[in-house]
């Protein structure tokens, strides 16, 4: 083995760090708001969804690739937390102050929970995708794409 081969074999691997990449600043709040509205987190113009919960492949305006997003189950968990924090205190307040019959409570709380969950699921998923883009998570970083 030559001296140059030993030098190359003993050289430390190049490690990517956030400081080594010069990248444009991405606003988390604007990306979150754009995603909440179902718009592209980068330009705010193109649609984020092609169906109720299906994220489009790319933005029709700026061409941002949405395929790296990994929202998975986080939007559903966040919706459960949000709806739970709205419905449960309301149910406890009504139960302690008025004590309506159980059939009346179920006829109010179950549909309310279902409607709130369905109304919040798409905006929350869009916000999660927007935050992932703003924080350069899951392949949204052009400087260091995932393999």
């Amino acid at each position: 083995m030559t001296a140059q081969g030993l030098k190359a074999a003993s050289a430390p691997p190049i490690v990517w760090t956030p400081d080594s990449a010069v990248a444009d600043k991405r606003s988390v709040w604007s990306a979150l708001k754009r995603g909440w509205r179902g718009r592209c987190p980068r330009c705010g113009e193109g649609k984020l969804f092609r169906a109720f919960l299906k994220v489009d492949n790319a933005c029709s305006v700026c061409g941002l690739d949405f395929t790296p997003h990994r929202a998975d189950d986080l939007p559903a968990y966040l919706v459960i937390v949000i709806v739970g924090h709205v419905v449960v205190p309301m149910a406890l307040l009504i139960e302690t102050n008025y004590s309506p019959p159980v059939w009346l409570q179920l006829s109010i709380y179950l549909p309310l929970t279902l409607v709130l969950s369905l109304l919040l699921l798409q905006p929350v998923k869009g916000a999660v995708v927007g935050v992932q883009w703003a924080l350069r998570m899951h392949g949204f970083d052009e400087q260091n794409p995932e393999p």
Side-chain angles (χ1 to χ4, degrees):
M1 191 177 253
T2 65
Q4 196 173 22
L6 285 173
K7 186 178 177 183
S10 64
I14 297 172
V15 178
W16 181 88
T17 62
D19 298 330
S20 66
V22 177
D24 58 328
K25 185 85 171 153
R26 295 180 181 175
S27 170
V28 175
W29 287 110
S30 65
L32 186 138
K33 288 187 284 187
R34 290 172 179 168
W36 180 271
R37 291 188 345 249
R39 298 291 174 197
C40 171
R42 179 165 56 186
C43 69
E45 298 294 322
K47 289 186 178 182
L48 185 59
F49 296 97
R50 69 173 181 259
F52 180 62
L53 289 177
K54 293 284 186 188
V55 177
D56 206 350
N57 292 331
C59 175
S60 60
V61 177
C62 69
L64 175 65
D65 183 19
F66 296 137
T67 56
H69 91 85
R70 298 290 176 259
D72 298 330
D73 292 335
L74 180 62
Y77 294 137
L78 293 175
V79 167
I80 289 169
V81 169
I82 294 167
V83 171
H85 277 80
V86 170
V87 173
V88 171
M90 183 179 71
L92 291 173
L93 181 72
I94 291 173
E95 174 62 30
T96 55
N97 291 334
Y98 304 106
S99 190
V102 174
W103 68 267
L104 180 62
Q105 292 183 57
L106 290 177
S107 67
I108 294 171
Y109 303 137
L110 292 178
L112 179 65
T113 301
L114 177 67
V115 168
L116 284 176
S117 298
L118 290 175
L119 288 176
L120 286 174
L121 199 52
Q122 188 182 41
V124 169
K125 184 171 184 173
V128 168
V129 172
V131 168
Q132 287 178 352
W133 174 81
L135 297 178
R136 293 174 163 68
M137 297 169 65
H138 305 296
F140 279 122
D141 186 6
E142 297 86 12
Q143 300 292 332
N144 187 32
E146 290 181 354

